[in-house]
Amino acid sequence: MSKEKVVLAYSGGLDTSVCIKWLQEEKNLDVICVLGNVGQEIHGLEYKKQKALDLGVIDCHVLELKDEYADEYLTKAIAANSMYENKYPLLSALSRPLLAAKLVDIAHQYDAKYVAHGCTGKGNDQVRFEASILTLDPSLEVIAPVREWDLKCRPDEVAYAREHGVPVPEGANDNPYSIDDNLWGRAIECGVLEDPWNEPPHDVWVMTKDPEETPDVPTYVDIDFVGGKPVALNGEQMPLAALVAKLNQIAGDNGYGRLDLMENRMVGLKSRECYEVPAALTLINAHKALEDLTLERDVLHQKLYLEQTWATCVYNGQWFSPLKKALDAFMAETQKFVTGTVRVKFFKGHCTVMGRKSPCSLYDFGLATYDRDTTFDEKAAVGFIQIETLSLKTWAKMQGPTSEAAANLA
């Protein structure tokens, strides 16, 4: 009698490698692994695939997703200037729905009843995976081995792995950090970082140089946008995935892109997180500068509010929700004329917008200048102020500090 099948989100690391054996032996399931490369991998994909096959999985799908991730996910994040709690560009929250969608597709291919992931019960990713999976196909059942098994710590997992023939790399117990990375940056937590008073050790940072060790002359970069999407660096057009990778290098070499913050997780606890997001921060700052030039005032003001709604929605795993789709429609409408060039300067850990220009600019020099040849009719301001302050004047007369009504209340 054939076994039921489960599709596992597989990274090739210790957790998901142990998950393979646990699903096979504790749940009696045939396992299909899915390894999605969203920019976190340079080498070792074939090794990780072979590792899974050697552990007895039916198949291991290695999916190259960098371009899809950039073109379909990062573009929406840039359009929304996505900064969770107005502090950091979304990172893991952007890759999880793409990976979840691939899990669902492959579950359909194999007629699998179950989908599994290696997330803990304390983090955000469990919600992001499961919300995405169940939104795309509510009939699938999700298994989260790390929430179920009685392996309490990493040494327990190492012992289980050795007992069940799972290869354990040398020093598996030595890495003090939990790291998630993709094309958009790196998230680092655990170890000494769990004490908010501790300064992040030097070995936390991989993508960015120490600002004290960066060049003594500034680096200038021109970023071209078309319809809100970055399309070129210094006049050289390239796919977005390549542009992000190149900008990560440029900004990182100048020490820009480090964040150290306290974050409110959706499960209700606070977490100290460090992020390296050089290209993400650069592009969002440049994109905002271009929007300042091209978006009508009321649209820009409303967009600032909805950007936070968008970021919280995605952070909470609602990428495929009706709310997220409606917000995307608003963001897409705002981007039609966000076309132009932004010049940024990198220097000693800083990134500063130095200039911006656009064929769709709403900036009118004739209106803005304080020179005598201004086209602004200053006499019109008198009537404007009279109308604008009419409500306040009426209130002040009847209920304000000097009114008879206020005196009677004293």
Side-chain angles (χ1 to χ4, degrees):
M1 182 176 178
S2 62
K3 298 178 181 179
E4 293 280 6
K5 300 181 182 66
V6 59
V7 176
L8 171 66
Y10 173 69
S11 69
L14 178 64
D15 289 346
T16 54
S17 297
V18 171
C19 283
I20 292 174
K21 278 300 175 185
W22 189 88
L23 289 166
Q24 291 169 336
E25 301 195 6
E26 303 298 326
K27 297 294 187 180
N28 195 33
L29 296 170
D30 279 334
V31 181
I32 302 101
C33 288
V34 178
L35 173 54
N37 182 13
V38 286
Q40 80 280 15
E41 297 286 354
I42 300 176
H43 305 292
L45 292 176
E46 288 306 314
Y47 165 77
K48 291 180 178 181
K49 177 177 180 177
Q50 189 58 52
K51 178 182 177 182
L53 294 173
D54 291 344
L55 291 173
V57 304
I58 293 177
D59 202 352
C60 180
H61 295 259
V62 177
L63 308 178
E64 287 293 343
L65 302 175
K66 289 192 295 293
D67 286 324
E68 183 176 356
Y69 180 49
D71 296 339
E72 302 298 329
Y73 289 75
L74 298 188
T75 53
K76 291 181 173 62
I78 294 168
N81 295 318
S82 61
M83 300 280 283
Y84 179 64
E85 296 184 330
N86 203 32
K87 289 185 289 193
Y88 86 93
L90 295 172
L91 188 63
S92 302
L94 294 173
S95 68
R96 298 310 185 238
L98 171 58
L99 296 172
K102 301 306 178 184
L103 294 174
V104 172
D105 288 344
I106 291 173
H108 292 165
Q109 291 177 28
Y110 285 87
D111 196 25
K113 181 179 179 181
Y114 302 99
V115 174
H117 61 74
C119 304
T120 70
K122 190 179 288 187
N124 299 309
D125 282 341
Q126 57 177 335
V127 183
R128 294 164 183 160
F129 269 118
E130 295 184 31
S132 296
I133 292 165
L134 298 176
T135 302
L136 293 170
D137 186 351
S139 70
L140 290 170
E141 297 182 33
V142 179
I143 302 174
V146 180
R147 290 201 308 247
E148 293 188 35
W149 65 32
D150 57 358
L151 307 175
K152 302 300 183 183
C153 57
R154 194 168 185 84
D156 289 347
E157 287 188 49
V158 170
Y160 181 96
R162 287 174 173 156
E163 182 182 345
H164 292 82
V166 178
V168 178
E170 191 71 26
N173 284 325
D174 297 339
N175 186 359
Y177 308 118
S178 173
I179 297 172
D180 182 62
D181 60 337
N182 62 57
L183 182 64
W184 208 223
R186 296 174 72 243
I188 314 104
E189 59 183 7
C190 298
V192 297
L193 299 177
E194 291 184 345
D195 184 345
W197 185 251
N198 287 336
E199 179 179 353
H202 184 75
D203 63 354
V204 164
W205 312 113
V206 173
M207 298 177 69
T208 55
K209 291 183 178 179
D210 190 312
E212 296 176 359
E213 300 173 0
T214 56
D216 293 327
V217 294
T219 300
Y220 288 86
V221 176
D222 289 352
I223 305 171
D224 294 337
F225 292 84
V226 175
K229 299 177 182 179
V231 297
L233 294 180
N234 293 328
E236 180 185 356
Q237 294 192 358
M238 61 189 76
L240 181 56
L243 186 151
V244 171
K246 186 170 183 177
L247 196 53
N248 272 330
Q249 186 70 48
I250 296 171
D253 284 347
N254 283 276
Y256 180 67
R258 296 181 180 183
L259 295 173
D260 176 6
L261 52 87
M262 295 301 302
E263 178 180 319
N264 289 293
R265 288 187 182 177
M266 61 185 302
V267 295
L269 55 86
K270 288 185 182 289
S271 175
R272 196 273 188 88
E273 305 280 344
C274 289
Y275 293 97
E276 284 189 291
V277 280
L281 282 178
T282 301
L283 289 173
I284 289 173
N285 288 336
H287 182 256
K288 285 182 176 181
L290 190 57
E291 286 188 328
D292 288 343
L293 196 64
T294 57
L295 292 189
E296 189 272 332
R297 179 191 63 185
D298 291 342
V299 171
L300 180 62
H301 288 179
Q302 188 63 31
K303 186 173 185 289
L304 289 170
Y305 167 75
L306 291 178
E307 286 172 359
Q308 288 303 299
T309 304
W310 191 96
T312 301
C313 181
V314 174
Y315 184 89
N316 290 344
Q318 299 177 22
W319 184 273
F320 298 108
S321 70
L323 172 59
K324 158 66 169 43
K325 291 180 181 179
L327 291 170
D328 278 341
F330 172 85
M331 299 300 172
E333 177 65 24
T334 68
Q335 298 304 293
K336 290 181 177 180
F337 299 104
V338 184
T339 294
T341 303
V342 179
R343 175 166 293 168
V344 298
K345 179 177 77 173
F346 297 105
F347 188 62
K348 298 294 182 183
H350 297 279
C351 174
T352 308
V353 172
M354 303 304 293
R356 70 286 282 164
K357 61 181 180 179
S358 170
C360 308
S361 172
L362 297 180
Y363 174 76
D364 187 324
F365 178 82
L367 290 172
T369 182
Y370 280 85
D371 290 345
R372 289 183 177 182
D373 59 352
T374 178
T375 58
F376 186 87
D377 183 1
E378 295 190 33
K379 294 180 180 179
V382 176
F384 169 78
I385 294 171
Q386 289 178 345
I387 296 299
E388 184 69 13
T389 60
L390 179 59
S391 177
L392 284 174
K393 287 163 61 179
T394 302
W395 169 83
K397 181 179 178 181
M398 300 303 298
Q399 301 175 9
T402 61
S403 68
E404 181 179 345
N408 290 337
L409 290 175

